[in-house]
Amino acid sequence: MNFMELAGSRRSVRDFSARKIARKDLDASVDAARLSPSACNSQPWRFVIIDDDGILEIISKEAFSGLHKMNSFVRSAPALIAIISESKKIVPKLGEFFQRTDYRLIDTGIACQQIVLAAGSLGIGSCILGWFNEKELKKALCVPREKKIELVIALGYPRTNEFMERRLKDRTSTVSYNGYI
């Protein structure tokens, strides 16, 4: 599959089969993220791979319940990856101040996309989650209080390959050359 086919076929998966993911495939997906570009090569991330059934159960009950139950489908995911922000280097901090942009969010977003595309190339489905009980997730993963869990990626083999048709906005309303036209 070429890159455009991979990018065009990627969908959020919310129903996973019980099939486990080999650690070599989880490692390959995270290694793709580690290769991601970042502002001033700051690499402001830490990736925590969760594939232990006991920890997954705790996380699904504590971090994806109550107000966060809309994402309770993670109970069927055989693996999760938490992306945690790490401290920034001084040059990106200065750039952020002047540009009013948090480059860590951009960098972790790029890394996240690398993970889901690498996983997709291996036949592994994914769903990127930003809605979870961070306090409970930190507790389950022993993440220091001062750290920020930016995203969680649910990973697994899709139970089905039938997905809703993707409806993209018209290209002329999202792309222009040489100006905002």
Side-chain angles (χ1 to χ4, degrees), residues 12-153:
S12 291
V13 175
R14 292 179 176 84
D15 188 19
F16 301 101
S17 75
R19 180 178 165 197
K20 290 289 189 189
I21 302 170
R23 281 202 165 171
K24 69 176 180 59
D25 292 338
L26 292 169
D27 288 340
S29 298
V30 169
D31 285 345
R34 291 180 58 245
L35 294 169
S36 297
S38 60
C40 301
N41 195 31
S42 58
Q43 303 171 52
W45 47 58
R46 172 98 183 199
F47 306 101
V48 178
I49 303 169
I50 305 103
D51 66 350
D52 177 271
D53 291 337
I55 297 172
L56 286 167
E57 185 174 342
I58 291 168
I59 289 170
S60 67
K61 285 182 181 174
E62 301 299 328
F64 292 98
S65 61
L67 289 173
H68 305 92
K69 70 180 176 184
M70 70 180 281
N71 288 329
S72 63
F73 68 87
V74 300
R75 288 187 175 113
S76 71
L80 301 172
I81 298 174
I83 302 178
I84 300 152
S85 289
E86 291 294 323
S87 55
K88 303 176 259 189
K89 291 180 176 179
I90 189 67
V91 174
K93 279 184 186 179
L94 289 171
E96 288 176 2
F97 175 77
F98 290 110
Q99 288 296 115
R100 295 183 321 225
T101 300
D102 188 342
Y103 292 115
R104 282 186 308 184
L105 295 179
I106 295 168
D107 295 341
T108 56
I110 294 167
C112 178
Q113 186 68 5
Q114 296 273 92
I115 289 171
V116 300
L117 289 175
S121 74
L122 299 168
I124 301 166
S126 60
C127 189
I128 302 165
L129 305 162
W131 185 248
F132 49 86
N133 184 325
E134 185 182 16
K135 181 180 176 185
E136 292 299 326
L137 188 55
K138 281 181 174 182
K139 189 163 80 175
L141 299 177
C142 302
V143 174
R145 186 179 33 203
E146 69 276 5
K147 301 291 182 184
K148 172 86 173 113
I149 301 175
E150 300 292 353
L151 296 167
V152 174
I153 305 170

